[in-house]
Amino acid sequence: MLMLKQRIWRTCVAIGSSIIGLSYAVLAVHHGFDVPGELVHAALFLAAGIALLYQTFKQQHEGSQMPGPLTSQQVAEYECAMETIGNALAARSQAIHDERSKAEPNQEVLSKLRQEQAELVLERSKISIDDVDTVRRVIANYGAQVRAQI
């Protein structure tokens, strides 16, 4: 299901980029290339859209297939890791809200919290269900943080 959602999302972005590229090209030609760089922008958007469409629909290679059968332990640990990072993100969101609610919010604190949030989102995107070491590291590292905040 996730793969289908990703494919649909990529297709929408690719089509949008292609439409923007074509629109730029038509406007550039219609206005007689009065705006410098419009044709370059058109080519970039169109190329990006076509490349994304190609990547979305090219055949998957054997190495990029989903992992084989998973144990219930792997699935449980993966879900725990995702939930743990979700809780860590929620804690950062609450801290950002609390800081912004102050009469004079500390911009450095807000910046640090937002950076931590971005790092957590990146970390979450790198978790693979079949990478047991990463899953366990995430649970150990962020689990301790979440428990400390409870």
Side-chain angles (χ1 to χ4, degrees):
M1 184 64 159
L2 179 63
M3 295 290 281
L4 178 62
K5 287 181 181 178
Q6 288 176 343
R7 183 171 280 186
I8 290 170
W9 178 247
R10 286 183 186 145
T11 302
C12 291
V13 172
I15 290 170
S17 180
S18 298
I19 290 171
I20 290 170
L22 289 172
S23 299
Y24 268 136
V26 167
L27 288 173
V29 170
H30 183 267
H31 292 290
F33 304 106
D34 288 342
V35 181
E38 284 300 309
L39 204 51
V40 172
H41 288 129
L44 289 173
F45 273 102
L46 192 55
I50 291 169
L52 191 54
L53 275 174
Y54 171 76
Q55 287 294 326
T56 301
F57 290 103
K58 80 175 186 177
Q59 245 182 9
Q60 296 292 316
H61 297 291
E62 196 170 313
S64 63
Q65 297 294 323
M66 286 296 292
L70 301 168
T71 66
S72 58
Q73 179 72 23
Q74 283 176 295
V75 173
E77 286 179 350
Y78 173 77
E79 289 296 325
C80 182
M82 296 301 279
E83 185 72 19
T84 300
I85 285 197
N87 288 332
L89 278 165
R92 295 318 185 282
S93 295
Q94 182 64 49
I96 288 170
H97 172 74
D98 293 345
E99 187 64 34
R100 290 179 68 191
S101 298
K102 294 179 180 177
E104 292 186 32
N106 184 330
Q107 294 304 315
E108 288 180 23
V109 170
L110 285 172
S111 179
K112 181 179 180 278
L113 289 168
R114 287 186 183 119
Q115 178 63 35
E116 289 174 2
Q117 239 182 354
E119 289 169 3
L120 285 167
V121 168
L122 183 62
E123 179 83 33
R124 184 176 58 185
S125 73
K126 292 179 181 178
I127 299 174
S128 175
I129 195 167
D130 61 338
D131 185 353
V132 176
D133 293 333
T134 299
V135 167
R136 289 182 180 163
R137 180 187 52 77
V138 164
I139 293 169
N141 291 349
Y142 299 109
Q145 289 179 15
V146 170
R147 282 189 299 277
Q149 295 171 347
I150 294 177

